[in-house]
């Protein structure tokens, strides 16, 4: 579900910037149809693909891990 939320946010950012699917396709080198499929959650994009899309919007992808667990020091 997190991926769909992420893709929805990218679409919102694209629309807020006044960019069309064709604009993003041109900036990323991706096919316009593929950009559309990404935004609707169809497909399985790589991290690199998501980063290219985000870069076309002037933002960056940030990943992280939350929680207190981690490698044991002993």
């Amino acid at each position: 579900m997190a991926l769909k939320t992420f893709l929805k946010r990218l679409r919102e950012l694209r629309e807020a910037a006044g960019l069309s699917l064709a604009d993003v396709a041109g900036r990323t080198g991706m096919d316009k149809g593929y950009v559309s499929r990404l935004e609707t959650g169809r497909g399985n994009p790589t991290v690199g693909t998501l980063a290219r899309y985000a870069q076309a919007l002037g933002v960056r992808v940030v990943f992280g891990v939350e929680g207190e667990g981690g490698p044991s020091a002993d």
Side-chain angles (χ1 to χ4, degrees):
M1 189 54 87
L3 179 60
K4 285 190 178 199
T5 302
F6 179 83
L7 293 169
K8 179 182 176 195
R9 181 67 180 136
L10 286 178
R11 181 179 181 168
E12 291 170 350
L13 290 170
R14 175 183 63 77
E15 291 172 344
L19 297 172
S20 68
L21 290 172
D23 293 330
V24 172
R27 292 179 179 199
T28 61
M30 294 180 216
D31 179 78
K32 179 180 160 186
Y34 183 70
V35 175
S36 176
R37 287 190 299 279
L38 278 178
E39 288 189 350
T40 57
R42 294 176 293 178
N44 190 17
T46 65
V47 172
T49 297
L50 297 175
R52 280 176 38 208
Y53 187 114
Q55 184 178 18
L57 301 177
V59 298
R60 64 189 177 104
V61 176
V62 179
F63 291 96
V65 177
E66 294 180 347
E68 293 187 21
S72 174
D74 50 4

